[in-house]
Amino acid sequence: MATSLALTPPPLDLDPLELSILERRGTFGLPPRQISDHLVNVFFSLIAPTLPVVDQDDFMRAYHGSGCDLSLLLLQAIYTIASRSFGGHGDLEDPDLTPRAFYKEAKALYDAGYEQNPTAILQAVVLLSVYWDGPDDLRESGIFYWSHIGIALAQTQGLHTTERYSLLDPADKGLLKRIWWTLYTRDRSVAAAFGRPAHINLADCTVEPLTEEDFVHSGSAQQTHARYFLQYIKLCQIMDLGPCVNLASRAAGPRPRRDVEAARCELKLHEWLASCPMEFLWRPAAHSFWAAMLQSVFHTIVCQLHLSQKQSSRSS
């Protein structure tokens, strides 16, 4: 039996035909409560630290029916990415409980304009930007699609400007700042992974840097997750200093300039390594998951730096 949750009702101005289509495709049918609970737990324990766009306490109050209605779009987005890391449960062999099935439901809700809360829409879009079927999933609705939509929506709401946060209480301010900086990290990581230009130019942004105080109201079980994400942002900013994601400098410009950019990038990598807290320095003898995650990003930048230098020497 599908789980019963207090979900947001459809908007009054939703086209009856759209609502009928959503009902016929089973968009409002949710997985059994045991499966739902486990997916939500997987999300907050393994995924939310890398995508800190949902306040756990607020979400869980709504999830357990003691707060406001729960966003169906956000819930389907959480199911989508959590189900990829679920494992160990035969029920997920059901074709209606696969990441692809959850993704289709979330996209249908988004396309129909079912969700009206702009923050919930942004949260869901950020989460969906992680979903892809594999290396060949570069279609229109793939990984780049959601990343670009998220950035556009956030800029429309002014999340890249300081003024947007001036009248907000600390909880809302922290949440929106985390959403913006998560979009920034997604923009840089996707650009680095696929060799595409970045879409956020920090020179055009006045939003304040993220701090540990912005995580106080997030419901994180430990501040380790906050400190991890702040270090992750620093690594993403290092990508901006050299040819790691600056594709224009790879293809054009005098070689001396490219060499200077590469040297600056390498210097910043050394500085990050020297200043990185011990808890995030990966060591084989004391393995740490979050330290390993940061080290993988660090070495990705190193590899791209060496690759760009090699390409530069060939073209000279």
Side-chain angles (χ1 to χ4, degrees):
M1 179 181 295
T3 186
S4 177
L5 296 171
L7 301 170
T8 51
L12 297 177
D13 59 349
L14 183 64
D15 187 332
L17 178 59
E18 291 277 11
L19 182 59
S20 176
I21 293 173
L22 292 174
E23 290 174 341
R24 291 185 62 182
R25 66 179 295 146
T27 303
F28 305 115
L30 301 178
R33 187 61 185 244
Q34 183 180 5
I35 298 291
S36 178
D37 290 350
H38 197 95
L39 288 171
V40 169
N41 179 66
V42 166
F43 171 75
F44 283 111
S45 60
L46 298 179
I47 300 170
T50 65
L51 300 168
V53 299
V54 181
D55 281 339
Q56 184 174 359
D57 288 345
D58 288 345
F59 179 90
M60 295 308 296
R61 279 194 293 269
Y63 185 76
H64 292 300
S66 57
C68 60
D69 290 339
L70 185 63
S71 167
L72 178 58
L73 173 62
L74 178 58
L75 183 62
Q76 292 284 16
I78 287 176
Y79 288 158
T80 299
I81 59 174
S83 58
R84 296 184 70 91
S85 305
F86 190 88
H89 204 298
D91 287 346
L92 280 193
E93 295 177 3
D94 186 328
D96 292 331
L97 300 178
T98 63
R100 181 64 180 163
F102 289 131
Y103 171 80
K104 287 182 177 180
E105 306 305 345
K107 188 174 187 303
L109 289 166
Y110 176 84
D111 291 340
Y114 187 89
E115 179 58 60
Q116 299 291 292
N117 185 305
T119 299
I121 293 173
L122 253 181
Q123 291 170 312
V125 167
V126 173
L127 299 184
L128 291 175
S129 73
V130 181
Y131 174 83
W132 64 323
D133 276 338
D136 297 326
D137 183 19
L138 303 180
R139 62 192 187 283
E140 179 184 355
S141 59
I143 191 170
F144 303 108
Y145 174 81
W146 295 109
S147 179
H148 297 169
I149 285 180
I151 293 170
L153 290 175
Q155 290 176 333
T156 299
Q157 296 182 34
L159 266 60
H160 62 301
T161 66
T162 301
E163 293 78 13
R164 176 66 176 86
Y165 304 89
S166 59
L167 300 179
L168 298 178
D169 61 49
D172 290 338
K173 179 180 179 180
L175 174 61
L176 292 183
K177 282 181 66 178
R178 296 199 313 274
I179 290 175
W180 171 256
W181 284 104
T182 301
L183 280 167
Y184 169 77
T185 61
R186 290 296 304 155
D187 184 45
R188 291 316 191 255
S189 61
V190 169
F194 293 94
R196 294 198 176 189
H199 286 77
I200 293 177
N201 184 356
L202 285 185
D204 299 327
C205 305
T206 59
V207 59
E208 297 174 353
L210 205 61
T211 67
E212 286 193 42
E213 286 70 27
D214 294 315
F215 290 80
V216 170
H217 302 277
S218 67
S220 176
Q222 50 186 333
Q223 285 302 99
T224 297
H225 295 164
R227 291 191 290 269
Y228 158 81
F229 194 71
L230 295 178
Q231 292 299 321
Y232 182 39
I233 291 176
K234 290 181 180 180
L235 285 175
C236 289
Q237 290 173 321
I238 291 175
M239 294 180 190
D240 291 335
L241 298 177
C244 297
V245 296
N246 188 354
L247 302 182
S249 66
R250 294 185 189 179
R255 181 178 174 185
R257 178 181 174 182
R258 298 198 302 269
D259 290 343
V260 169
E261 290 175 340
R264 290 179 60 207
C265 184
E266 188 170 3
L267 176 62
K268 288 299 182 180
L269 285 171
H270 284 294
E271 290 178 353
W272 178 84
L273 201 59
S275 63
C276 182
M278 285 298 297
E279 63 181 317
F280 297 121
L281 288 177
W282 185 82
R283 293 164 293 167
H287 176 73
S288 165
F289 176 78
W290 299 113
M293 290 282 287
L294 287 174
Q295 289 300 303
S296 68
V297 176
F298 175 87
H299 288 293
T300 296
I301 300 175
V302 171
C303 290
Q304 291 211 349
L305 181 62
H306 283 249
L307 178 61
S308 65
Q309 289 175 320
K310 186 176 182 179
Q311 291 173 337
S312 177
S313 62
R314 284 180 178 177
S315 61
S316 61

